[in-house]
Amino acid sequence: MAQGATPSQQHYYVPQPMYWPVLGSASLFLMMVGGVFVINSASGGWVSIAAGFMLLVYMMFRWFGEVIGESESGRYHGWEDTSFRWGMSWFIFSEVMFFAAFFGA
């Protein structure tokens, strides 16, 4: 932040830390453990997979809802929009180059 700038004059919106990634990791771990149980014919495998999947769907709806709420409340401005678009453009470009190198080899 520039000297003398107030917090309302920040150039880029930085959200507060969230616990959604931890919840997503826990749900994927539950699904993985359930898969291991199913492969080894142990009891409770399908229950663990279902619980992990439901937790993952819950996490995605809540996290995406929070991001949409931030956007709709006006916290994102032109700079964030430009940043999101450039980020997606660079991601697509890197994927194209990866597959070009993969198929070229």
Side-chain angles (χ1 to χ4, degrees), residues 65-89:
E66 221 170 282
V67 171
I68 290 168
E70 289 172 353
S71 178
E72 292 294 321
S73 68
R75 293 184 184 166
Y76 297 153
H77 301 292
W79 177 254
E80 285 85 358
D81 184 55
T82 303
S83 177
F84 293 155
R85 290 176 190 273
W86 271 105
M88 184 53 70
S89 299

Side-chain angles (χ1 to χ4, degrees), residues 1-33:
M1 187 160 52
Q3 274 186 330
T6 62
S8 64
Q9 294 174 335
Q10 271 185 314
H11 185 59
Y12 201 83
Y13 173 70
V14 179
Q16 296 296 323
M18 294 187 250
Y19 60 89
W20 298 119
V22 175
L23 193 62
S25 297
S27 66
L28 291 175
F29 180 75
L30 271 173
M31 290 194 310
M32 182 207 54
V33 168

Side-chain angles (χ1 to χ4, degrees), residues 34-54:
V36 169
F37 282 2
V38 167
I39 289 172
N40 292 312
S41 300
S43 63
W46 290 109
V47 173
S48 180
I49 290 174
F53 183 74
M54 288 190 314

